[in-house]
Amino acid sequence: MTYVLDFAEIDRSLTTRVGGKGANLGELSRIEGVRVPGGFCVTTEAFRRVLAQAPSLADRIDELDSPAPDDLAAIAAISAGIRCVIAESTVPDDIASAIANAYARLGSNTACAVRSSATAEDLPGASFAGQQDSYLNVTGVQAILTHISRCWSSLFTDRAIIYRRRDGFDHKAIDMAVVVQRMVFPQAAGVLVTADPLTSNRKVVSVDAGFGLGESLVSGIVNADVYRVRGGVITDKSVATKKLAVEADPAGGTRVRDIESERRHRQVLADAQILRLAELGRTVEAHFGSPQDIEWCLDDTDFHVLQARPITTLFPIPEAPDAANRVYISVGHQQMMTDAMKPLGLSVWQLTSPAPMRHAGGRLFVDVTARLSSPAARAALVTGFTSSEPLLGDALRTIVEREFIATVPDENPGAPTGQAAAPIDADPELVAELIADNEASVAGLERTIGDESGTALVDFIASDIGELRRVLFNSRSSQVIRAGMEAAAWLREHMRMWLGDKNAADALARAVSGNVTAEMGPALLDVADVIRPHADVVAYLRRVQDSEVEGDDFLDELAQLPGGGDARAAFEGFLARYGMRCVGEIDITRPRWSERPTAVVPPLLADIDNFTHGAGRRQFADGLRAAEQAATDVLERVRALPDGERKAAETRAMIDRVRTFAGYREYPKYGMVSRYFIYKKALLGEAGRLVRDGVLDDPEDIFYLRFDELREVVRTRSVDAGLLRERKADFRRYQALTAPRVLTSDGEAIIGSYRRADLPAGALPGMPVSAGTVEGRARVVSDIAHADLTAGDILVTACTDPSWTPLFVAIAGLVTEVGGLMTHGAVIAREYGLPAVVAVENATRRIRDGQRIRVHGTDGYVEILPAP
């Protein structure tokens, strides 16, 4: 058994024995031109042996998953007990002897840094930075042994336990090694990252530097100089006022001292040193093959690298066929689904869409490089997004201004970019025909898919996706959708020009016919009407909401209650029409309402509590009357204008188009998710057969395979278990990342801005998508399952998709972080007459739950009101 390894004996293959930090130091020691202070690692074998001396520890560690994640007191109590047992354990003599011998090789009474090195630390998928303990300026064998024991104990600090639970790590699967490294007493120290920490640009190196030990920067007690380098050129320098420094204490450990006044404003590193350090960072990055977070120090002779870890918070860059500059637009921001998707979901969506998509970080992106290279297409792209999603449009404008994408002259400058389709008149029969075609196609799929299995099933679905694309991208369907959107745009533009009315089109779009998504709200109100009179059923649903009832077969139990039969029938009727929907429905792997009907319970209870019988019909009737009155008022005002009769006739035609065609826009997606659910049920049936054959452990393992990979697994009846484990770990990591709206091939997340000077002080700018002003209590909701809304509340959330529609009947206004003029929240807000502002950056963090806010849906901003 080997308890100690010198750095020279270590490489990255030994992570399970020396932990992430130890393995990285071994690798760093092998890089030519990189100076690493000498040292050794106490291996995980030593840690496991010490734990084995205390059999009670196993039971205590098992207890760590018992408390609720937010029960910090319980976690702290168990943590303290574990650490106490480890601290009181004696280091076995042979381990102590091996450590003493390794320490002696560094030199008698050498001052060392003693650092924790967990096996899940400083890894590509998880850095665990700062989760375990480190100690500086430790001298003498006995002190080294004492601090090694403290490092072992730090695997079970409160913060480390909570971090592992959050990221799904098994406490018993992680071991602790300890790094003992010769101390350097530097003039300066700091941190270097080989990607810009603000923008994630991989071409930028950012250096933080301070006088003395780097501990002053890590602990945040001093301000650091910040330097940025790109392409061997210093592009930015921020020289801080540095009043304090951390230095070694002759008695051991460290101390804080005042910096002499004449040095406080001095640049820590000379320009030549900054460039030398940036070059060193690129050398380290090249060795590890990914952006690195590097701790460094400078003594009288040169720079030393103290440790390096991969930067795990960067959003990955989509793979490209070449090294040319590229620009990607997030698909999720268009689809109101910014969460990470599993591989099967990504690949099915890619098969569905004709757009040139690439994936990264569990998200999909459209490569718009070619369009940005063309002067004509570029102008149309930027102008279009500036109108529909201003933040995205501004981000694209920033890229154009930088000349990031080389211009390729258009072959026929000034030529029209495409043949505009002739406008169509309002024709309800055309809409009915399109819906009938969609419904017949879905019904045909449902009739025939049950006959297929094995590879024939996968091939059948691949073929049917072609039929899905035919229905989705039917030219007549696209013409109807475009006609509704263009008519609404015409009304907005002309009513602003003729009448000075910014949002006349919003009132005219209320209660349009055939909006299958908007109809969900009144449909759930009808279910509430059936259930509301039955107190036992309502009480049972409250227990379901409070998780007192386990499982999604609760409808069986519901039926046994007085009134439960009618309640179940109403519930199942709703699911028959909308059960294929769910949060993030564009991802085929997401659980549908029919699979998890408890997801519908929170909005159903809100409807029961906040409304009286017949509210669904009343809401639609009220919206219809309001729209008709708005049309009458607008036409009357237009007729009073010069040439009023002609203008009124045009306006009437546009109103008719909006009211005939606008509702249909939601139907193609409804048909798509209906199809997705049929595919999913069939594929899970095949996955069940793979489980019975011992190929898979769980039917849902197929979600971590791309569609073509799934076919191969079905064909060969074998799967790469390591690939599944890797994909699951990747997905957990991707869930913690925030997808950018716009991403470049340099890895830079381009963040647009509104560039507005017309806002009240402190107002949060956004995009106006539904007219009106409303004041009320903000309810910040991250998960529809935990929505607790009462009538008059204002919903504040990251984004909404069709599954959020049932909540809209109870709210008075809407604020989202993501969205545009024609995205879900905007469309439904206009349908229900709710003031709404979307694309409000960081709204869920800047607005606190329960605060009173005022939403200006006409002018596009939100005010946070002072507490009464």
Side-chain angles (χ1 to χ4, degrees):
M1 192 73 70
T2 303
Y3 297 119
V4 171
L5 290 170
D6 288 333
F7 287 172
E9 301 175 90
I10 296 170
D11 61 25
R12 70 186 78 184
S13 68
L14 298 180
T15 300
T16 58
R17 298 184 65 195
V18 298
K21 187 183 280 97
N24 288 349
L25 281 168
E27 286 288 334
L28 286 166
S29 300
R30 296 165 181 265
I31 305 175
E32 185 176 353
V34 175
R35 300 182 64 184
V36 178
F40 61 89
C41 286
V42 182
T43 66
T44 55
E45 287 98 329
F47 173 72
R48 287 197 297 271
R49 187 165 161 203
V50 169
L51 260 60
Q53 293 179 158
S56 66
L57 276 176
D59 292 337
R60 289 174 181 263
I61 293 172
D62 284 338
E63 293 175 13
L64 287 173
D65 287 324
S66 299
D70 58 352
D71 191 349
L72 303 184
I75 293 172
I78 300 171
S79 163
I82 293 172
R83 286 184 284 114
C84 183
V85 171
I86 295 174
E88 292 174 355
S89 298
T90 302
V91 179
D93 291 343
D94 53 339
I95 296 177
S97 176
I99 292 170
N101 290 336
Y103 178 62
R105 290 195 292 274
L106 296 178
S108 178
N109 288 323
T110 297
C112 290
V114 182
R115 303 178 186 273
S116 304
S117 180
T119 53
E121 187 175 4
D122 292 356
L123 302 179
S127 74
F128 279 79
Q131 299 307 311
Q132 281 86 44
D133 291 344
S134 294
Y135 303 93
L136 302 180
N137 196 25
V138 180
T139 304
V141 172
Q142 191 54 52
I144 294 287
L145 290 171
T146 298
H147 286 84
I148 287 171
S149 290
R150 290 176 180 172
C151 287
W152 287 334
S153 298
S154 72
L155 186 62
F156 299 101
T157 60
D158 306 8
R159 65 181 185 272
I161 291 165
I162 292 168
Y163 188 104
R164 288 195 295 271
R165 287 187 61 167
R166 186 197 71 189
D167 284 19
F169 286 91
D170 182 350
H171 302 295
K172 286 188 174 180
I174 299 175
D175 290 323
M176 178 69 83
V178 179
V179 170
V180 180
Q181 185 176 28
R182 184 194 303 274
M183 279 286 295
V184 177
F185 300 99
Q187 302 169 355
V191 176
L192 175 156
V193 288
T194 61
D196 190 310
L198 299 179
T199 69
S200 300
N201 193 321
R202 296 348 185 237
K203 298 290 180 67
V204 174
V205 169
S206 180
V207 177
D208 286 16
F211 293 120
L213 293 169
E215 181 66 17
S216 60
L217 275 63
V218 174
S219 61
I221 65 171
V222 301
N223 295 323
D225 284 4
V226 179
Y227 319 122
R228 284 187 170 79
V229 178
R230 177 172 180 145
V233 177
I234 299 171
T235 59
D236 185 58
K237 286 192 293 188
S238 174
V239 179
T241 300
K242 299 164 284 291
K243 297 181 180 180
L244 302 171
V246 175
E247 62 180 21
D249 190 325
T254 60
R255 66 185 181 187
V256 178
R257 69 168 179 84
D258 291 332
I259 293 177
E260 301 84 351
S261 58
E262 64 272 16
R263 296 178 66 212
R264 291 181 177 181
H265 303 287
R266 186 182 302 170
Q267 185 173 311
V268 174
L269 297 179
D271 286 1
Q273 291 173 320
I274 295 169
L275 295 175
R276 160 83 177 110
L277 185 57
E279 183 182 351
L280 190 64
R282 289 300 186 202
T283 299
V284 173
E285 178 186 62
H287 178 85
F288 285 103
S290 66
Q292 297 288 304
D293 177 338
I294 300 165
E295 292 186 23
W296 59 271
C297 68
L298 174 68
D299 65 8
D300 294 333
T301 59
D302 201 356
F303 287 103
H304 300 263
V305 174
L306 305 178
Q307 62 175 289
R309 65 174 67 90
I311 306 174
T312 61
T313 56
L314 296 174
F315 198 89
I317 304 171
E319 291 185 9
D322 53 46
N325 286 352
R326 293 183 177 274
V327 177
Y328 305 98
I329 289 178
S330 163
V331 172
H333 284 75
Q334 312 304 304
Q335 293 294 327
M336 301 297 97
M337 164 55 176
T338 57
D339 292 345
M341 296 170 67
K342 297 185 177 77
L344 185 63
L346 292 169
S347 59
V348 169
W349 183 257
Q350 285 176 295
L351 290 170
T352 302
S353 173
M357 290 188 188
R358 301 188 183 278
H359 64 88
R363 278 78 167 186
L364 289 168
F365 294 86
V366 175
D367 186 342
V368 295
T369 305
R371 296 177 68 183
L372 287 176
S373 69
S374 157
R378 174 198 307 152
L381 186 71
V382 174
T383 301
F385 275 118
T386 299
S387 297
S388 64
E389 296 190 42
L391 290 178
L392 203 158
D394 188 68
L396 292 176
R397 185 183 298 112
T398 298
I399 290 171
V400 171
E401 290 170 352
R402 292 182 185 175
E403 300 182 352
F404 182 74
I405 299 297
T407 296
V408 178
D410 294 322
E411 291 185 6
N412 299 301
T417 56
Q419 183 76 27
I424 56 175
D425 293 328
D427 183 359
E429 290 301 317
L430 175 55
V431 173
E433 288 173 17
L434 291 169
I435 291 175
D437 177 50
N438 199 322
E439 289 178 339
S441 180
V442 172
L445 167 66
E446 198 151 27
R447 280 195 309 271
T448 54
I449 196 170
D451 299 331
E452 307 294 341
S453 64
T455 55
L457 170 64
V458 184
D459 292 342
F460 177 90
I461 291 173
S463 175
D464 190 78
I465 288 174
E467 169 66 4
L468 167 59
R469 289 174 61 139
R470 179 195 71 79
V471 174
L472 269 180
F473 307 115
N474 178 308
S475 60
R476 291 200 308 162
S477 176
S478 300
Q479 190 179 21
V480 164
I481 292 170
R482 188 165 53 249
M485 293 172 63
E486 289 174 350
W490 189 95
L491 287 167
R492 279 192 295 273
E493 178 184 351
H494 286 77
M495 295 309 100
R496 183 183 296 113
M497 182 171 58
W498 291 346
L499 305 177
D501 192 330
K502 292 182 180 179
N503 295 88
D506 293 351
L508 300 170
R510 289 190 64 181
V512 296
S513 61
N515 188 323
V516 70
T517 299
E519 289 167 357
M520 273 196 292
L524 195 63
L525 283 167
D526 290 344
V527 178
D529 287 348
V530 173
I531 292 176
R532 192 179 292 108
H534 304 293
D536 290 345
V537 173
V538 174
Y540 178 77
L541 292 177
R542 295 198 196 285
R543 290 172 53 212
V544 171
Q545 183 180 35
D546 295 339
S547 301
E548 296 175 16
V549 176
E550 297 290 333
D552 285 316
D553 55 353
F554 76 97
L555 290 176
D556 293 333
E557 295 183 35
L558 182 74
Q560 307 306 313
L561 300 171
D566 291 342
R568 176 174 179 164
F571 208 114
E572 289 179 335
F574 179 84
L575 293 177
R577 176 68 168 163
Y578 303 110
M580 78 296 291
R581 311 218 84 147
C582 66
V583 173
E585 62 189 14
I586 68 168
D587 182 352
I588 193 174
T589 72
R590 288 292 189 104
R592 309 285 143 172
W593 285 345
S594 287
E595 297 172 300
R596 192 172 294 171
T598 51
V600 183
V601 170
L604 175 59
L605 284 171
D607 287 352
I608 291 170
D609 292 339
N610 293 318
F611 297 95
T612 57
H613 189 84
R617 290 184 294 279
R618 287 196 301 274
Q619 280 197 350
F620 184 82
D622 290 347
L624 184 59
R625 279 193 298 272
E628 290 171 346
Q629 185 60 53
T632 300
D633 293 345
V634 163
L635 291 170
E636 184 177 322
R637 293 166 64 193
V638 170
R639 286 192 186 97
L641 299 172
D643 197 17
E645 288 302 325
R646 179 188 63 79
K647 291 177 179 177
E650 283 185 278
T651 302
R652 178 75 262 178
M654 293 299 175
I655 292 172
D656 289 345
R657 287 182 196 170
V658 166
R659 298 204 59 77
T660 302
F661 295 145
Y664 173 74
R665 185 177 182 275
E666 294 291 312
Y667 201 89
K669 187 176 183 181
Y670 172 81
M672 183 192 76
V673 296
S674 298
R675 242 184 172 88
Y676 275 11
F677 189 31
I678 296 170
Y679 296 162
K680 181 184 183 184
K681 287 185 288 186
L683 290 174
L684 283 175
E686 187 63 33
R689 289 186 281 274
L690 291 172
V691 171
R692 289 195 294 275
D693 291 348
V695 179
L696 300 176
D697 293 329
D698 187 304
E700 293 191 358
D701 284 347
I702 65 169
F703 296 164
Y704 297 93
L705 299 169
R706 294 184 63 80
F707 191 78
D708 58 327
E709 294 169 341
L710 173 58
R711 186 189 189 283
E712 190 64 11
V713 168
V714 172
R715 184 185 71 81
T716 62
R717 316 306 283 181
S718 66
V719 71
D720 183 344
L723 175 66
L724 289 178
R725 286 194 298 272
E726 180 183 332
R727 293 274 177 82
K728 291 175 182 179
D730 285 345
F731 180 70
R732 286 195 298 270
R733 181 160 54 92
Y734 295 156
Q735 285 178 300
L737 299 177
T738 299
R741 280 185 175 85
V742 178
L743 182 67
T744 74
S745 50
D746 287 349
E748 183 175 5
I750 307 294
I751 302 172
S753 63
Y754 285 102
R755 309 190 192 197
R756 291 177 61 177
D758 60 339
L759 300 178
L764 311 181
M767 182 177 187
V769 294
S770 185
T773 301
V774 66
E775 180 179 319
R777 179 180 65 160
R779 297 317 308 257
V780 181
V781 179
S782 60
D783 183 347
I784 189 173
H786 300 123
D788 181 15
L789 300 168
T790 58
D793 284 343
I794 297 171
L795 175 62
V796 180
T797 190
C799 59
T800 69
D801 66 6
S803 68
W804 288 70
T805 303
L807 296 183
F808 280 53
V809 298
I811 62 175
L814 174 71
V815 178
T816 68
E817 295 177 334
V818 176
L821 191 62
M822 297 307 296
T823 52
H824 167 266
V827 171
I828 303 304
R830 291 193 293 271
E831 170 78 19
Y832 288 0
L834 306 173
V837 179
V838 303
V840 179
E841 281 286 272
N842 300 315
T844 60
R845 291 195 289 274
R846 298 164 75 182
I847 299 171
R848 294 195 307 273
D849 186 58
Q851 280 186 312
R852 289 195 67 76
I853 63 174
R854 185 180 296 126
V855 178
H856 295 264
T858 303
D859 295 314
Y861 64 92
V862 179
E863 291 180 282
I864 300 174
L865 303 177

